[in-house]
């Protein structure tokens, strides 16, 4: 019997093993089955070079929307999951960094005055089933303090930015085993030793996402300038 082996063709142009998948606002919040931005970027380059609009009906957290926006393409997305929609909105909403910085400073002052007993607020705990199964008392209090601050943010764009960071903090400071998407509680031993620094956690996520937003805004500005220059050259 003669064996005929079909030649294998390996296309390494789709290999993004070493790429940074968390640039720009892609660093905001994890989500199940996220597409890496390099795939969206390559598909847009291949099939949507002169596109004016991109529509992603199952946009999840908006990877394709961010990539389209970074190329100066208008992007629209829909998704069944309100959490995905919130993240996608936060990742594609633009506003001046100075506005965010004012709120970040206010937040730091708020946490400082809570830590030093300068400010006392009437904490209202959310009342959902099994809350004590998933959160330690101290964590619950700190999360409620943060939520109080977020509820009072007037600027809806900034509020979304904070809510996305809050969501990750809730998950990470809970007694959930963080390595899995499904909800399993830590073992008794793990729970005993688990004392999350809730304010530290949220602050490092706020700082990370601020950098992501800054890079996103800068890149968008560069593309806008390039489009503007190209239009002028075309009109000549
Ligand atoms: C694999 S995820 C997309 C992830 C996205 N590419 C990203 O990078 O974040 C698929 C999405 O489809 C959404 N979905 C499933 N059925 C849907 C439907 N009938 N209409 C709208 N969205 C739907 C899910 O909520 C989920 O967010």
């Amino acid at each position: 019997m003669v064996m005929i082996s079909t030649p294998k063709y390996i296309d390494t142009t789709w290999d993004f093993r070493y790429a940074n998948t968390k640039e720009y606002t892609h660093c905001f919040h994890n989500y199940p089955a996220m597409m890496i931005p390099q795939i969206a970027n390559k598909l847009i380059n291949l099939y949507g070079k002169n596109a004016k609009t991109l529509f992603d009906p199952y946009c999840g957290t908006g990877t394709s929307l961010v990539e389209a926006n970074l190329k100066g393409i208008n992007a629209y997305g829909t998704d069944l999951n309100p959490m995905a929609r919130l993240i996608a909105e936060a990742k594609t909403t633009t506003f001046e960094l100075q506005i965010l910085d004012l709120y970040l400073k206010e937040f730091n002052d708020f946490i400082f005055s809570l830590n030093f007993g300068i400010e006392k607020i009437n904490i209202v705990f959310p009342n959902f089933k099994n809350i004590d199964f998933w959160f330690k008392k101290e964590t619950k209090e700190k999360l409620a303090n943060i939520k109080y601050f977020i509820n009072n943010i007037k600027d809806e764009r900034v509020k979304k930015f904070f809510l996305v960071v809050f969501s990750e903090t809730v998950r990470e400071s809970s007694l959930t085993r963080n390595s899995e998407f499904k909800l399993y509680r830590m073992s008794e031993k793990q729970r005993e030793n688990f004392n999350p620094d809730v304010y530290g956690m949220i602050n490092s996520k706020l700082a990370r996402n601020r950098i992501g937003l800054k890079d996103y805004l800068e890149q968008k500005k560069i593309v806008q300038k390039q489009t503007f220059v190209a239009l002028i050259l075309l009109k000549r």
Side-chain angles (χ1 to χ4, degrees):
M1 197 166 70
V2 183
M3 298 283 282
I4 303 168
S5 64
T6 42
K8 273 191 187 152
Y9 173 68
I10 299 171
D11 181 359
T12 51
T13 60
W14 292 91
D15 181 352
F16 302 108
R17 210 175 312 191
Y18 303 111
N20 178 4
T21 58
K22 298 292 173 194
E23 265 186 299
Y24 308 114
T25 49
H26 294 302
C27 65
F28 288 21
H29 213 294
N30 272 331
Y31 189 72
M34 273 171 120
M35 171 169 52
I36 60 167
Q38 285 73 16
I39 299 280
N41 178 49
K42 188 159 173 161
L43 288 171
I44 297 171
N45 284 344
L46 282 172
Y47 303 109
K49 240 207 164 129
N50 299 313
K52 299 231 167 353
T53 310
L54 175 142
F55 173 55
D56 185 347
Y58 301 85
C59 71
T61 58
T63 308
S64 58
L65 312 184
V66 170
E67 283 303 306
N69 282 342
L70 285 171
K71 293 175 186 297
I73 300 172
N74 279 329
Y76 300 90
T78 50
D79 200 284
L80 266 184
N81 183 344
M83 188 64 218
R85 293 200 299 269
L86 172 71
I87 302 167
E89 275 187 68
K91 280 162 76 170
T92 50
T93 299
T94 56
F95 55 96
E96 298 76 31
L97 224 48
Q98 291 93 315
I99 297 177
L100 176 64
D101 287 344
L102 287 177
Y103 279 96
L104 290 174
K105 176 163 183 334
E106 209 181 294
F107 181 65
N108 267 323
D109 293 347
F110 173 72
I111 299 299
F112 179 86
S113 38
L114 285 175
N115 278 340
F116 288 91
I118 302 164
E119 184 153 4
K120 281 225 157 27
I121 56 166
N122 248 348
I123 307 173
V124 184
F125 290 113
N127 187 19
F128 59 82
K129 200 178 157 195
N130 282 343
I131 186 166
D132 294 318
F133 181 83
W134 293 110
F135 297 93
K136 283 190 164 177
K137 186 172 175 287
E138 200 191 333
T139 307
K140 230 172 56 172
E141 282 175 11
K142 290 186 172 160
L143 289 173
N145 285 336
I146 297 171
K147 191 64 189 347
Y148 170 88
F149 179 88
I150 296 176
N151 286 347
N152 286 304
I153 296 178
K154 298 252 163 12
D155 189 313
E156 284 304 315
R157 302 164 303 176
V158 178
K159 195 179 225 167
K160 278 176 193 148
F161 181 93
F162 269 80
L163 277 174
V164 164
V165 173
F166 180 64
S167 160
E168 262 193 336
T169 309
V170 169
R171 174 80 192 225
E172 255 179 57
S173 62
S174 74
L175 299 169
T176 322
R177 296 202 309 237
N178 267 315
S179 51
E180 288 148 88
F181 275 113
K182 286 189 179 158
L183 294 175
Y184 292 110
R185 198 158 79 133
M186 293 172 183
S187 67
E188 200 176 338
K189 183 120 195 63
Q190 284 172 318
R191 294 200 302 272
E192 262 170 34
N193 298 324
F194 185 63
N195 297 302
D197 170 13
V198 180
Y199 297 145
M201 257 182 202
I202 193 157
N203 269 326
S204 71
K205 291 178 197 312
L206 284 167
R208 179 200 65 194
N209 288 9
R210 184 194 177 279
I211 294 173
L213 180 65
K214 180 173 172 279
D215 293 346
Y216 177 70
L217 294 173
E218 281 171 3
Q219 185 57 30
K220 276 195 72 166
K221 253 190 206 146
I222 292 171
V223 173
Q224 262 165 11
K225 250 190 209 159
Q226 284 168 346
T227 317
F228 182 70
V229 172
L231 274 175
I232 302 261
L233 290 176
L234 261 180
K235 279 188 180 164
R236 277 192 177 170

